[in-house]
Amino acid sequence: MQTLAGASGRDGVAALLERAVADRLEAGSAFFRREAPRIARCCHRMAERFAREGRLIALGADPASRSDARHVSVEFVHPVIVGKRALPAIALTAEGGPLGPQLESVAGADDIVIGFGLAEPGGAAAETESALRTAAGRGCMTIRFGPGGATSPETLAGSQEDWLFEPPSGDPSIRQELVETLYHLLWELVHVFFDHRGLLEGRSARAVHDTGASSFLYPFLSEGEDDLDAVLADVEASVLMKSAEIGELRRQTLIEGAVTLEAAAARLRQAFDSGGRVLAFGNGGSATDAMDVVADFRLPPVAAWPSRRALDLTEDTSIITAVANDIGVEEIFQRQVIAYGREGDVALAFSTSGGSENLIEGLAEARRRGLGTIAMVGYDGGRISADALADHVIVSRSQNIPRIQEAQASAYHLLRELVEAPVGPDGPAAGSG
């Protein structure tokens, strides 16, 4: 494989990544320009339901959708931005059995139900559609994703409030990235309306979601507001600003990290060709990145790609909670690397800060045992980058955690592609997908 430092200054990897950036910028710009007004209104309707004691229920019937469902629930329940309220959310996924019975046991009329995986054909999509119909029948607000034709407008006939968003791309990785940005925006911007309480119809008297700096210091503010259009316009503008921000961070991550991504892909390919595995891990939203990348390796998004051996170290809650309780959170990944890691395997760590102690311990153990190490980090790279604690470090240079995670999604999707697409000066090898 040629490197990016070839005589021409540009080889197949550079061209592939430049096309990937262009495709993502084009799709993101088109999607969020078109949908910004609806996203703002959707945030308002969600805020009204949260203010009535409603909950957010995320559905994931297959491995890739499960990662999005769990990402949604952790973001809403455990806000990573100071000043954001914790909002009630739960993920219902295939591990708990069929989605329908799970949903029937928890869904109420004021809840919001978001379904993933509807764009991909198969039984999981049908199961999710059926669960969404159940939710709509109970009066829940429903949010779902196409691309067109996957779910017809009549599917949820009778629903009072059904929101369909259709990412404009035939690439499943780009669709997932746009959907992730969208649900991050819903989470970030729903909070705007809690500071404009007079615009929330039907909110309960109980002030569970009606507290905040402004309402505490000035309890009379916002009760008499009626200029919803002005607030919606501000939220719409914020959608466009944030979508532009993620576009630029994706560009930085992929172009600046091109050489590193190429080398990391080569290391993974070597491991797979020798019978090795990738072990992925992270905390919180980054744990769902580990889930997603493992799903992509096991169940390739491109039919021509082979399934690859991959293990998600965030998956077994009994191991994680036992180690955390009996020894300490710092050891939850190290212990699993000891148990599963073999010389020739590769450890893949996700961190927005680049300084999580349990990731550092996991990477250190991986090196002691002869594993290759790859890390995707945010901010300035943190300790992992500064101290070269991984062999290959891809940095998304931002302090905004949702944007970092969105850029990292692009990076690991392209890493997965590069594993299957050895490239030369003329681009990907024939038949690489």
Side-chain angles (χ1 to χ4, degrees):
M1 177 182 293
Q2 297 196 14
T3 67
L4 292 176
S8 68
R10 292 183 61 183
D11 68 359
V13 172
L16 185 153
L17 292 176
E18 287 171 2
R19 288 196 302 272
V21 169
D23 289 345
R24 281 158 172 79
L25 291 179
E26 181 180 358
S29 177
F31 182 55
F32 290 108
R33 277 202 317 268
R34 184 187 74 202
E35 297 291 2
R38 293 182 66 239
I39 292 169
R41 293 196 297 274
C42 187
C43 289
H44 175 236
R45 301 302 291 173
M46 290 176 69
E48 289 186 320
R49 287 178 177 262
F50 280 126
R52 297 200 300 264
E53 311 294 329
R55 299 160 297 178
L56 177 61
I57 302 170
L59 307 177
D62 60 74
S65 300
R66 178 190 69 159
S67 68
D68 283 315
R70 295 208 179 281
H71 200 150
V72 166
S73 64
V74 73
E75 295 286 2
F76 277 80
V77 169
H78 182 64
V80 293
I81 296 178
V82 174
K84 300 290 187 186
R85 298 161 177 78
L87 296 171
I90 185 171
L92 303 181
T93 64
E95 303 103 296
L99 295 183
Q102 292 189 71
L103 186 67
E104 289 174 1
S105 70
V106 299
D110 287 327
D111 291 340
I112 307 153
V113 181
I114 182 169
F116 296 98
L118 293 170
E120 309 305 327
E127 182 179 356
T128 303
E129 287 186 13
S130 177
L132 286 168
R133 284 195 296 270
T134 297
R138 294 192 172 195
C140 298
M141 175 180 174
T142 56
I143 303 172
R144 55 203 173 95
F145 310 97
T151 306
S152 69
E154 293 77 25
T155 299
L156 302 181
S159 171
Q160 294 282 318
E161 196 162 26
D162 174 36
W163 296 78
L164 172 64
F165 295 96
E166 300 178 282
S169 175
D171 184 322
S173 294
I174 294 177
R175 287 203 305 269
Q176 190 278 334
E177 292 164 30
L178 293 177
V179 167
E180 180 177 349
T181 297
L182 174 54
Y183 63 67
H184 277 159
L185 293 178
L186 294 177
W187 166 68
E188 292 175 88
L189 296 173
V190 71
H191 293 271
V192 171
F193 295 95
F194 299 142
D195 291 326
H196 299 274
R197 297 179 296 160
L199 302 179
L200 302 180
E201 293 182 2
R203 65 188 177 87
S204 65
R206 187 177 172 195
V208 174
H209 309 302
D210 268 355
T211 58
S214 61
S215 60
F216 173 73
L217 294 172
Y218 307 102
F220 55 86
L221 281 183
S222 304
E223 291 290 354
E225 276 191 286
D226 59 7
D227 194 355
L228 175 60
D229 288 344
V231 179
L232 289 171
D234 286 344
V235 173
E236 180 181 343
S238 187
V239 168
L240 296 174
M241 179 188 71
K242 291 173 184 292
S243 65
E245 181 184 350
I246 182 51
E248 288 308 307
L249 187 59
R250 285 192 170 110
R251 184 198 302 275
Q252 174 270 308
T253 301
L254 297 179
I255 300 304
E256 182 181 302
V259 172
T260 305
L261 281 167
E262 178 189 19
R267 180 64 185 84
L268 280 167
R269 194 180 312 112
Q270 177 187 27
F272 294 138
D273 290 347
S274 302
R277 298 173 297 184
V278 58
L279 283 62
F281 50 99
N283 297 297
S286 296
T288 70
D289 290 332
M291 293 178 196
D292 191 33
V293 77
V294 166
D296 283 349
F297 276 113
R298 291 176 178 171
L299 302 169
V302 175
W305 295 353
S307 176
R308 299 296 195 173
R309 301 179 69 200
L311 189 63
D312 172 12
L313 301 191
T314 74
E315 189 168 25
D316 196 324
T317 54
S318 59
I319 291 176
I320 290 172
T321 54
V323 174
N325 183 66
D326 297 341
I327 303 172
V329 174
E330 295 80 4
E331 309 300 327
I332 59 176
F333 300 127
Q334 181 199 37
R335 285 299 177 103
Q336 293 186 79
V337 171
I338 291 172
Y340 309 126
R342 299 292 181 269
E343 185 174 356
D345 290 343
V346 176
L348 173 56
F350 294 95
S351 173
T352 54
S353 69
S356 300
E357 196 63 36
N358 54 17
L359 267 71
I360 289 171
E361 292 292 331
L363 289 168
E365 189 62 45
R367 277 188 162 172
R368 284 193 288 269
R369 294 180 174 271
L371 280 73
T373 50
I374 303 169
M376 295 193 179
V377 297
Y379 287 72
D380 63 354
R383 282 184 59 196
I384 291 175
S385 178
D387 297 339
L389 301 182
D391 303 329
H392 312 287
V393 183
I394 297 98
V395 183
S396 298
R397 300 190 184 281
S398 171
Q399 298 183 30
N400 186 308
I401 291 174
R403 303 293 86 80
I404 294 168
Q405 292 171 338
E406 292 153 21
Q408 288 177 342
S410 297
Y412 67 72
H413 285 150
L414 268 295
L415 178 66
R416 178 68 179 96
E417 181 172 349
L418 286 169
V419 166
E420 309 305 340
V423 294
D426 298 323
S432 64

